[in-house]
């Protein structure tokens, strides 16, 4: 038994997942430390404003990804494996088009944000805090691009060292703000959204100067952006990312300021566990993108089930955790957070395994249209459920709404996966990319 465990740990996939999971949980530890500090300094309403503004920044960073993350994971690993020097052209072209599109949207948001806040988000935050939030979106987009490129290249150790070194420096700055009594929502967003990414870029440039130089020298080609694949997944991912945040946004819309604070903290705890799902799929995605033969699929799915069962177990553990633990960690001022967190953990328990058909459809079959359908259903289930049930039940209706949304979306992706697999007439995986439209 001991020998089998050691053999399992020594596998390249296991090593990468362990490294990436440790790195992600170090990141989670920092996020938890930030939460522990901030809930003791900020009032629930202030923490609610911070949750909404950071939520907007993270949603927009994902929104303005424009599907580039999927393109990187899908096309960069084969380029690296074949040692194709077009990879520099691919990276520069992809980054350029993402920057052009995202910068245009950010400029528009910079102008419109105060009006949006007045009529929809209703945080009543000062204009300068809204502007810092907007600027931080661009830095987060750049950091995500670099981070995903490192992950696709299987540079998990270096990527996590860069990220967590930035976290250490952010923590020191946050403590300085607290000691000097200059802490504010704006200062926190500036630290997390601008200073952190700048530190990450500095470390990346020092270690990967040659690669960065080659990318700068490379030409830009529109064909490298792969518009059809990228834009379809971009639209799909935005429905999902917005769906994940619509619960919090609609709580804010209905003016439930204290419940926004309680729920915002619960959501943050759940999102830290979702980071473990990302740490696994980031390692599995390049493997799924390099599948060449049909008989490799079942093997990779079995690996995925094994590894994604870990975050499922974490959600189960969180659900079983006594409420007293939450009281000790977050104080009784946030007592309702304990109940909400346990309910949300149960709602998300099936989410990790629902990622298996997603990465197959996206990276092996390269059929993002099925993900688009699933995520549209996910978004509207959460949005409509939250809109109609929040006025009557408050935040406590949201775990039930989220569970139903995940269940339906997962079912759609599973049916799509089975349909695609059954239609594979050839052992060569490249043949399924041109399947008939009907599945």
């Amino acid at each position: 038994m001991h020998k089998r465990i050691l053999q399992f740990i020594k596998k390249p996939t296991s090593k990468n997942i362990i490294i990436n999971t440790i790195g992600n949980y170090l990141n989670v530890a920092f996020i938890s430390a930030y939460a522990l500090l901030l809930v003791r300094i900020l009032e629930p309403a202030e923490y609610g404003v911070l949750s909404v503004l950071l939520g907007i920044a993270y949603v927009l960073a994902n929104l303005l990804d424009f599907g580039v993350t999927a393109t990187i994971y899908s096309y960069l690993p084969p380029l690296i494996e074949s040692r194709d020097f077009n990879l520099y052209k691919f990276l520069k072209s992809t980054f350029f088009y993402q920057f052009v599109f995202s910068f245009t949207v950010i400029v528009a948001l910079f102008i419109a944000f105060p009006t949006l806040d007045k009529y929809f988000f209703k945080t009543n935050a000062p204009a300068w805090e809204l502007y810092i939030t907007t600027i931080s979106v661009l830095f987060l987009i750049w950091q995500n691009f670099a981070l995903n490129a490192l992950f696709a290249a299987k540079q998990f150790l270096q990527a996590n060292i860069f990220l967590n070194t930035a976290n250490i420096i952010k923590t020191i700055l946050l403590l300085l703000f607290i000691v000097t009594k200059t802490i504010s929502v704006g200062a926190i967003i500036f630290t997390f959204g601008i200073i952190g990414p700048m530190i990450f870029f500095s470390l990346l440039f020092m270690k990967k100067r040659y690669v960065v130089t080659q990318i700068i020298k490379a030409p830009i080609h529109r064909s490298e952006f792969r518009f059809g694949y990228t834009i379809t997944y971009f639209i799909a991912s935005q429905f999902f990312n917005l769906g994940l945040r619509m619960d919090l946004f609609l709580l804010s819309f209905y003016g439930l300021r204290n419940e926004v604070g309680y729920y915002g903290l619960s959501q943050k705890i759940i999102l830290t566990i979702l980071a473990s799902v990302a740490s696994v799929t980031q390692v599995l995605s390049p493997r799924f993108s390099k599948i060449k033969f049909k008989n490799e699929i079942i093997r990779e799915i079995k690996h995925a089930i094994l590894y994604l069962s870990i975050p499922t177990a974490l959600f189960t553990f969180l659900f079983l955790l006594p409420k007293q633990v939450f009281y000790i960690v977050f104080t009784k001022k946030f007592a309702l957070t304990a109940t909400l967190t346990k309910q949300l953990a149960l709602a998300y328990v099936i989410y990790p395994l629902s990622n298996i058909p997603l990465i197959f459809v996206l990276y092996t079959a390269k059929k993002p249209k099925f993900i688009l359908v699933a995520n549209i259903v996910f978004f509207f289930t959460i949005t409509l459920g939250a809109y109609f049930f929040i006025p009557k039940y408050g935040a406590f209706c949201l775990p039930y709404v989220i569970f139903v949304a995940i269940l339906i979306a997962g079912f759609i992706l599973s049916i799509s996966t089975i349909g695609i697999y059954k239609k594979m007439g050839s052992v060569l995986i490249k043949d399924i990319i041109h399947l008939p439209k009907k599945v």
Side-chain angles (χ1 to χ4, degrees):
M1 185 67 177
H2 240 1
K3 188 177 180 181
R4 290 182 65 185
I5 293 172
L6 286 174
Q7 287 176 343
F8 174 74
I9 292 173
K10 288 179 180 179
K11 289 182 179 180
T13 302
S14 297
K15 285 183 179 179
N16 286 332
I17 287 176
I18 290 169
I19 291 169
N20 206 32
T21 301
I22 291 172
N24 271 324
Y25 272 102
L26 279 174
N27 190 43
V28 166
F30 281 109
I31 293 171
S32 301
Y34 301 147
L36 287 172
L37 283 171
L38 297 176
V39 297
R40 284 164 168 76
I41 296 167
L42 304 176
E43 292 300 316
E46 288 181 303
Y47 193 85
V49 172
L50 177 64
S51 297
V52 171
L53 291 182
L54 283 178
I56 291 168
Y58 294 139
V59 164
L60 283 174
N62 286 311
L63 177 68
L64 301 181
D65 175 81
F66 289 109
V68 162
T69 296
T71 304
I72 289 172
Y73 281 113
S74 191
Y75 293 98
L76 185 59
L79 287 173
I80 294 172
E81 190 174 278
S82 62
R83 298 184 180 182
D84 192 333
F85 282 98
N86 285 325
L87 70 93
Y88 299 120
K89 181 175 68 176
F90 165 76
L91 286 170
K92 184 173 181 179
S93 301
T94 305
F95 178 83
F96 174 78
Y97 283 105
Q98 183 192 45
F99 170 74
V100 170
F101 295 146
S102 61
F103 185 74
T104 303
V105 176
I106 287 170
V107 169
L109 176 67
F110 193 89
I111 297 168
F113 205 170
T115 303
L116 285 172
D117 186 68
K118 182 178 179 181
Y119 292 104
F120 184 76
F121 298 112
K122 300 179 183 177
T123 64
N124 297 317
W128 70 273
E129 290 183 357
L130 302 179
Y131 293 142
I132 287 176
T133 302
T134 306
I135 295 169
S136 70
V137 173
L138 190 60
F139 283 83
L140 291 170
I141 291 169
W142 292 343
Q143 178 177 282
N144 288 344
F145 183 94
L147 197 60
N148 285 310
L150 287 170
F151 287 152
K154 297 183 179 180
Q155 300 290 314
F156 296 103
L157 181 60
Q158 287 190 346
N160 282 290
I161 288 173
F162 298 160
L163 191 62
N164 285 293
T165 301
N167 281 333
I168 292 171
I169 298 173
K170 285 190 296 184
T171 304
I172 294 169
L173 286 174
L174 196 61
L175 290 171
L176 284 174
F177 284 131
I178 293 170
V179 170
T180 57
K181 296 181 179 180
T182 55
I183 193 75
S184 67
V185 171
I188 296 166
I189 294 171
F190 182 76
T191 303
F192 290 173
I194 297 178
I195 298 296
M198 286 179 66
I199 296 165
F200 180 90
F201 301 141
S202 300
L203 295 170
L204 176 66
F205 182 75
M206 286 189 289
K207 188 67 178 179
K208 300 288 185 182
R209 187 174 299 178
Y210 172 78
V211 175
V212 174
T213 303
Q214 292 302 311
I215 292 171
I216 292 171
K217 291 179 179 178
I220 295 172
H221 283 271
R222 181 178 175 179
S223 60
E224 294 293 339
F225 193 60
R226 293 169 173 83
F227 282 97
Y229 177 89
T230 303
I231 297 304
T232 302
Y233 181 67
F234 157 67
I235 298 170
S237 62
Q238 299 334 304
F239 274 109
F240 179 77
N241 292 325
L242 284 171
L244 279 180
R245 298 287 185 171
M246 284 305 295
D247 47 1
L248 187 67
F249 293 162
L250 283 167
L251 278 175
S252 181
F253 172 75
Y254 281 113
L256 304 175
R257 293 176 66 84
N258 284 336
E259 285 197 38
V260 171
Y262 302 134
Y263 190 83
L265 183 55
S266 294
Q267 190 183 64
K268 191 175 291 294
I269 296 167
I270 295 299
L271 290 175
T272 58
I273 297 182
L274 289 182
S276 69
V277 179
S279 70
V280 176
T281 57
Q282 284 163 350
V283 176
L284 295 177
S285 296
R287 292 178 63 92
F288 272 79
S289 71
K290 292 189 292 184
I291 289 176
K292 295 179 181 178
F293 301 97
K294 184 177 178 179
N295 59 8
E296 297 177 47
I297 295 170
I298 300 300
R299 182 189 65 197
E300 294 300 335
I301 288 177
K302 286 179 179 178
H303 279 137
I305 291 172
L306 177 63
Y307 292 119
L308 286 168
S309 294
I310 297 170
T312 295
L314 290 174
F315 280 122
T316 304
F317 174 77
L318 186 60
F319 172 72
L320 297 173
L321 202 64
K323 290 183 180 180
Q324 288 73 17
V325 176
F326 293 92
Y327 300 156
I328 293 170
V329 176
F330 299 111
T331 75
K332 285 196 173 182
K333 183 170 66 172
F334 285 83
L336 288 178
T337 293
T339 303
L340 285 168
T341 303
K342 287 165 73 69
Q343 291 180 357
L344 281 172
L346 195 59
Y348 277 96
V349 75
I350 62 173
Y351 172 75
L353 294 176
S354 72
N355 277 260
I356 297 172
L358 185 147
I359 57 178
F360 169 78
V361 168
L362 183 61
Y363 299 118
T364 305
K366 293 181 171 57
K367 297 282 188 178
K369 62 183 179 181
F370 297 114
I371 300 172
L372 175 60
V373 173
N375 288 355
I376 287 173
V377 173
F378 177 83
F379 171 79
F380 280 107
T381 302
I382 289 183
T383 302
L384 294 175
Y387 181 80
F388 286 111
F389 291 117
I390 284 175
K392 188 173 182 180
Y393 301 105
F396 291 96
C397 71
L398 296 174
Y400 300 95
V401 172
I402 290 169
F403 177 77
V404 172
I406 293 172
L407 189 65
I408 296 173
F411 177 77
I412 293 170
L413 289 172
S414 297
I415 292 298
S416 301
T417 296
I418 293 168
I420 292 171
Y421 186 82
K422 284 183 176 180
K423 283 189 174 287
M424 293 179 186
S426 170
V427 294
L428 286 174
I429 222 66
K430 66 179 181 180
D431 294 340
I432 71 169
I433 298 175
H434 304 292
L435 283 174
K437 290 185 177 180
K438 186 176 179 181
V439 173

